[in-house]
Amino acid sequence: MNTETKLPPLLTVIEMTPRGGDVQTLPSEEAATAATRRQRNFLFWGVFLIPTLLFAFYIFVIASDQYMSEAQFLVREPSQGGPLGSLGGAQFISRSTEQTLAVEAYIKSRDVAATMAEKDGLRDVYSRPEGDRLNRFPNFFTYDNFERFYNHYLNWMTVDVDETTGILTIRSFAFRAKDAQAVAAAVIRHAEDFVNQLNARAYRDKLGYTGAIVGKAKEELLAIEERLTQFRNQTGTVDLPRESTAALETIGKLTTEVARLEATLKQQQQSTPNNPGLPSLSRQIASYRGEIEKLRTGVVGQSSSMSTNLAGYERLTFERQLAARALEVAIAANDKARQDAETPHIYLVKIAEPNLVDIPEYPRRWLSLFLVATLSYAVFLILNMFARSVREHRA
C-alpha cells in the first residue's frame, strides 16, 4: 500500500513560494516618476538655468559699454512764398522731402562708410581695445572685408526721419563717448558735403542749359548775318530800304523840277517863241525825264529792282531782329540763372549738435538679463509641457 500522500495543489504553490511574501521588483509607477523628474531637471538646467547663467556672465563680465551720440538736422530749400512772395521777390525756406530722403540714403550708403574709413578712421573706432570680442570689428566670426565692415557700420549708425517734420535723427554708437560724438559729427559733415555737391551739380546743369541756349542763339544770329551779307553783295546795296526811300525822294524832286521847267518852257514859247534858250531848256527837261525813268526802273519794273529785292531784305532783317531778341532773352536768362545758381538751393540746418554722454547707453544689463531669463523660462515651460503630453500619450 502506497503510504505517500499527495499534497493539495494550493499547498504546493504556497510551499514553493519563497518566504518573505512579495517578489522583490521596482514598481512601474516609481520608475516613471523618476524618469519624469530626470527629464524635467535636464530641461530646467539645459534650457533655463545654464543659458541664463552664461548670459549673465557675458553681460556682466564680458560685454563692454557702448556710448551713443545723437544729433538732429533738417534739409531745407528756398521757395517762393506764394503769389505775394513771388511779386515781392521774397524767398521763404521750406523743408525738402525729396532731398531729405536723398541725404538719408547717402548716410546709409557704402560711399559714406568708405569715406569715413579712409578719412575719419572709422575702422579704428570699431576696433578699440575697450570693445569685447563679440562687438568689435573684426571679430572671430566676422571676415575683415568691406562688406562686413559696411554691415557693421549700418548696425552702429542709425538714421530716422520724422515724416511729419522732416527732421533727421542720427545715432552713433562706439566704445568711447568721444568716438561716438566724433563719428556723428563726421556723418553730418559728409552730409553737408553731399548737399554742397547737389548744389554744385544743379549750378552746372542750370548754367549748362542756359549757356547752350545762348550759344545756339548766337549761332542763329551769325548765320542770319552771313546770309544778309551775301544778299548785300549780290544786290550791291547796304541799306536797301533807305536807298529805295532816297531814290523815291530823288524821283519826287526831279518830277517837281521837270514840272517847273515845263511850265517855264511853255511860258517862254508863248511869250518869246524865238528865244535861243528854249532848246537848252528842252534838253534839260529831257535829261531830267531820263534820270527819272532810270531811277524808277531801278526801284520798280525789273527782276533786279529794289522793290523785288526789298521783300527778301526785309525778311532777312526781320529774322535778324528775332534772332537778336532771342539772344538778348537767352543772355538775360543766363545771367538770372547764374545769380540763382550762386545761391545754395539746399540747406542743411542743424537742430541739435552731436552730444557727449557720460553714461553708456548699452548694454542694459539688468533689463537684458531679465528678458533672457523670462524668455528661457518660458521656453522651458513650453518644452516641459510638450514632453509631459508625449509621455501621457504613450501611456
Side-chain angles (χ1 to χ4, degrees):
M1 181 177 179
N2 188 4
T3 59
E4 185 180 358
T5 59
K6 295 182 180 181
L7 296 177
L10 180 61
L11 183 58
T12 305
V13 173
I14 293 175
E15 288 181 353
M16 293 177 63
T17 302
R19 293 181 180 181
D22 299 332
V23 178
Q24 300 297 323
T25 57
L26 187 65
S28 59
E29 292 80 1
E30 293 182 3
T33 303
T36 301
R37 188 180 299 111
R38 288 193 302 270
Q39 190 177 34
R40 187 177 185 278
N41 292 336
F42 175 77
L43 290 176
F44 180 79
W45 282 86
V47 177
F48 168 66
L49 190 57
I50 293 178
T52 303
L53 292 176
L54 290 176
F55 182 77
F57 177 78
Y58 166 74
I59 203 69
F60 285 100
V61 179
I62 299 177
S64 57
D65 294 334
Q66 300 175 15
Y67 296 88
M68 182 189 74
S69 181
E70 183 178 277
Q72 293 181 331
F73 59 91
L74 189 65
V75 180
R76 291 184 176 273
E77 62 180 355
S79 61
Q80 299 293 337
L84 296 179
S86 61
L87 290 176
Q91 285 188 338
F92 297 83
I93 304 299
S94 64
R95 66 184 182 93
S96 175
T97 303
E98 294 181 356
Q99 305 302 339
T100 299
L101 296 179
V103 172
E104 179 192 11
Y106 178 74
I107 293 176
K108 295 180 179 179
S109 67
R110 289 174 172 81
D111 293 340
V112 172
T115 301
M116 294 184 66
E118 179 182 356
K119 298 182 179 179
D120 302 302
L122 191 59
R123 284 180 175 268
D124 298 334
V125 170
Y126 290 153
S127 61
R128 297 295 188 197
E130 294 89 342
D132 59 87
R133 294 185 178 275
L134 293 179
N135 289 315
R136 278 187 302 188
F137 179 86
N139 48 45
F140 64 91
F141 60 88
T142 301
Y143 295 104
D144 187 6
N145 54 38
F146 178 76
E147 195 64 26
R148 298 291 184 178
F149 171 77
Y150 173 65
N151 293 330
H152 192 85
Y153 165 77
L154 292 181
N155 292 330
W156 286 63
M157 170 64 65
T158 63
V159 185
D160 297 322
V161 179
D162 191 327
E163 296 182 357
T164 303
T165 61
I167 296 177
L168 284 91
T169 302
I170 61 173
R171 296 181 180 89
S172 172
F173 297 89
F175 300 115
R176 299 177 184 175
K178 291 185 177 180
D179 284 343
Q181 184 185 35
V183 171
V187 169
I188 294 179
R189 186 173 64 254
H190 292 303
E192 289 179 339
D193 294 340
F194 174 71
V195 168
N196 293 333
Q197 291 177 7
L198 293 180
N199 287 325
R201 186 179 303 171
Y203 177 85
R204 292 193 301 268
D205 293 343
K206 199 166 187 178
L207 288 186
Y209 176 73
T210 55
I213 294 178
V214 171
K216 185 177 180 180
K218 287 181 178 180
E219 292 178 358
E220 292 180 355
L221 181 59
L222 291 175
I224 293 174
E225 288 286 355
E226 182 67 23
R227 290 164 55 192
L228 187 59
T229 301
Q230 294 177 358
F231 179 85
R232 286 169 175 169
N233 293 331
Q234 292 176 359
T235 58
T237 58
V238 177
D239 191 349
L240 191 59
R242 182 176 298 180
E243 293 179 3
S244 62
T245 301
L248 292 175
E249 290 177 354
T250 302
I251 291 174
K253 291 178 180 180
L254 291 176
T255 302
T256 303
E257 184 66 20
V258 168
R260 187 184 65 79
L261 292 176
E262 286 180 347
T264 302
L265 178 62
K266 186 175 181 180
Q267 183 180 5
Q268 290 182 2
Q269 286 178 348
Q270 293 177 355
S271 60
T272 57
N274 297 323
N275 189 344
L278 292 178
S280 176
L281 187 59
S282 298
R283 287 192 300 271
Q284 186 177 4
I285 293 174
S287 176
Y288 282 175
R289 286 185 178 278
E291 187 66 22
I292 291 173
E293 185 64 24
K294 181 180 178 181
L295 290 174
R296 186 172 297 169
T297 303
V299 174
V300 294
Q302 293 183 359
S303 59
S304 60
S305 62
M306 292 183 181
S307 61
T308 303
N309 297 327
L310 187 61
Y313 181 84
E314 289 180 348
R315 184 176 63 256
L316 290 175
T317 54
F318 181 71
E319 291 179 0
R320 183 182 63 178
Q321 292 175 0
L322 291 180
R325 180 57 181 167
L327 180 59
E328 292 178 2
V329 172
I331 293 175
N334 189 39
D335 294 338
K336 181 65 168 55
R338 180 178 289 105
Q339 295 175 1
D340 293 341
E342 289 175 353
T343 302
H345 284 219
I346 308 173
Y347 301 86
L348 196 149
V349 182
K350 296 180 182 178
I351 299 176
E353 295 285 348
N355 61 325
L356 181 65
V357 297
D358 299 328
I359 302 174
E361 183 72 16
Y362 296 103
R364 298 174 181 177
R365 291 180 169 84
W366 289 105
L367 178 60
S368 301
L369 180 60
F370 173 76
L371 293 177
V372 170
T374 303
L375 179 61
S376 60
Y377 190 72
V379 173
F380 159 71
L381 292 178
I382 293 173
L383 293 178
N384 188 39
M385 293 176 59
F386 179 75
R388 183 182 301 175
S389 64
V390 171
R391 288 193 302 270
E392 293 176 354
H393 179 72
R394 288 180 178 179

